[in-house]
Amino acid sequence: MHRGRGRQSNRKLPQKLANRLIELYRRQYVDFGPTLTAEKLLERDGICVSKETVRTVLLESGDWKRSRKVQEHRQWRQRKQQCGEMLQMDGSHHDWFEGRGPKCVLMAYIDDATSRVYGRFYAYEGTIPAMDSFWRYIRKYGLPMKLYADKHSTYKSPSKETELFDRNGNEIDALLFCELNWPVSSD
């Protein structure tokens, strides 16, 4: 058997100090968390205790409750009903050729209803590759009703006069985009 069994730890906070800490917390620091309370106890009252000590004392006294920040659950939306109703667009930077070629960006388009994927490789993710790949997608599959893009600066210009991928919320009006920025063929 160990000789310290049944005895108080030598490192235990003296009860008098714990009571003083609780009293100060209730009087001055009731809106603070353990970290800020420990900082203020040192700064204002000259009491040097760790934030974990403050947390433990306050938990034992019932003055502090563990609170975990609950992340708001992102609700899944239903997929679109028809092919072409919404297209998701993104550029993916990766060593696609596993060292056998240059690193590049896959400009990918995924139809929300069917999960059909269309993609092309480019040297960088920029306006020209985005417009080129979108134009090629349109020629192959037709014009989508909506185009959903991430917050990459390629898809939103700071200049209101030259908006290429301007968003209304998070969705792009692809028809408006094409009418303003693509030449119309006379066939």
Side-chain angles (χ1 to χ4, degrees):
M1 272 217 278
H2 193 271
R3 289 189 338 202
R5 187 172 181 185
R7 294 184 188 173
Q8 273 193 348
S9 168
N10 292 333
R11 299 178 61 148
K12 183 172 171 66
L13 190 70
Q15 191 59 44
K16 189 175 179 182
L17 182 58
N19 291 341
R20 173 96 171 112
L21 193 148
I22 292 167
E23 176 191 330
L24 286 169
Y25 178 80
R26 288 176 181 165
R27 201 165 11 112
Q28 297 176 8
Y29 310 121
V30 75
D31 292 333
F32 294 4
T35 303
L36 187 57
T37 300
E39 290 172 7
K40 293 300 178 184
L41 283 169
L42 179 61
E43 181 184 309
R44 293 180 181 171
D45 304 304
I47 300 173
C48 183
V49 288
S50 72
K51 66 178 181 181
E52 284 303 310
T53 301
V54 172
R55 188 181 68 80
T56 303
V57 168
L58 294 177
L59 279 170
E60 288 173 356
S61 71
D63 289 304
W64 179 256
K65 291 187 173 79
R66 287 187 180 130
S67 63
R68 295 186 181 197
K69 292 182 181 176
V70 178
Q71 280 188 332
E72 195 174 307
H73 177 62
R74 289 178 55 190
Q75 191 171 359
W76 292 100
R77 61 166 181 76
Q78 284 202 303
R79 287 181 162 230
K80 298 296 181 186
Q81 295 290 319
Q82 289 184 311
C83 180
E85 198 172 340
M86 186 170 88
L87 189 66
Q88 297 180 29
M89 167 192 188
D90 199 10
S92 178
H93 301 258
H94 187 65
D95 184 12
W96 291 102
F97 304 114
E98 299 174 338
R100 294 177 296 224
K103 286 188 177 182
C104 57
V105 176
L106 173 66
M107 295 297 294
Y109 296 84
I110 304 166
D111 185 85
D112 192 62
T114 63
S115 296
R116 177 181 62 202
V117 177
Y118 174 81
R120 288 188 53 89
F121 291 107
Y122 292 91
Y124 65 98
E125 183 178 9
T127 304
I128 301 301
M131 289 171 40
D132 179 64
S133 59
F134 189 52
W135 182 245
R136 290 172 187 267
Y137 178 89
I138 290 169
R139 277 195 261 154
K140 186 167 184 170
Y141 296 112
L143 185 65
M145 291 173 66
K146 298 252 184 208
L147 183 64
Y148 181 89
D150 63 9
K151 294 179 181 176
H152 192 278
S153 62
T154 297
Y155 313 122
K156 183 169 171 121
S157 172
S159 168
K160 294 293 179 195
E161 297 166 8
T162 59
E163 290 177 333
L164 298 173
F165 286 88
D166 185 23
R167 276 175 280 192
N168 178 8
N170 286 333
E171 296 177 342
I172 297 171
D173 186 339
L175 184 60
L176 177 62
F177 168 80
C178 289
E179 286 177 2
L180 294 177
N181 298 290
W182 295 105
V184 178
S185 65
S186 57
D187 319 7

